[in-house]
Amino acid sequence: MSDCIFCKIVSGDMGTSFLHEDEFCVAFDDINPKADTHVLIVCKKHIPSIADMVEGDEKIVGHMINCAKDIAAKKGLAGYKLQFNVGEAGGQEIFHLHLHLLSNSG
Ligand code: AMP
């Protein structure tokens, strides 16, 4: 989607430095971190939110969680939170599915 900031980041148009990239997702540091470590894992497919998942998307979402786990391990985090904000009322600001990896124990 041409007007989606995360689609632009995923495509490389924004020159964002990725901590991780594979077939299904990318990961990069949040621009406005809410913890010492705040990484966003963003799927390449434009799924607006968890509420818009269709059959088959669970493979992508499961993969994103696995990536978050691997990034946390690489960073040596002792503990962390994984968070999906869903819908405006759930605190979601960007309607392109992403997983927050948050930790103050790095
Ligand atoms: P959410 O509220 O779940 O939609 O989270 C969106 C997150 O994206 C927020 O934590 C923002 O700080 C972050 N964000 C917005 N624009 C950028 C950007 N260009 N690069 C990195 N993170 C961003």
Side-chain angles (χ1 to χ4, degrees):
M1 285 189 46
S2 58
D3 59 346
C4 170
I5 178 84
F6 281 2
C7 279
K8 285 181 187 150
I9 289 176
V10 160
S11 71
D13 284 356
M14 306 286 288
T16 305
S17 171
F18 296 146
L19 302 168
H20 171 84
E21 179 173 15
D22 63 38
E23 184 185 352
F24 295 109
C25 66
V26 300
F28 51 88
D29 288 320
D30 195 292
I31 202 168
N32 181 21
K34 282 90 181 172
D36 293 344
T37 297
H38 188 170
V39 174
L40 299 175
I41 296 90
V42 179
C43 56
K44 289 190 168 176
K45 179 181 176 185
H46 183 86
I47 304 167
S49 95
I50 286 283
D52 300 295
M53 283 175 66
V54 295
E55 192 71 30
D57 287 344
E58 68 278 3
K59 185 179 173 194
I60 296 171
V61 174
H63 180 79
M64 290 164 69
I65 294 169
N66 208 36
C67 286
K69 181 256 301 176
D70 288 345
I71 292 166
K74 271 190 196 145
K75 287 181 170 287
L77 303 178
Y80 49 92
K81 293 178 186 175
L82 298 180
Q83 182 172 322
F84 289 104
N85 294 330
V86 184
E88 268 181 54
Q92 187 175 3
E93 293 172 359
I94 297 188
F95 285 79
H96 180 130
L97 185 59
H98 53 281
L99 174 60
H100 296 258
L101 165 62
L102 297 145
S103 178
N104 288 315
S105 63

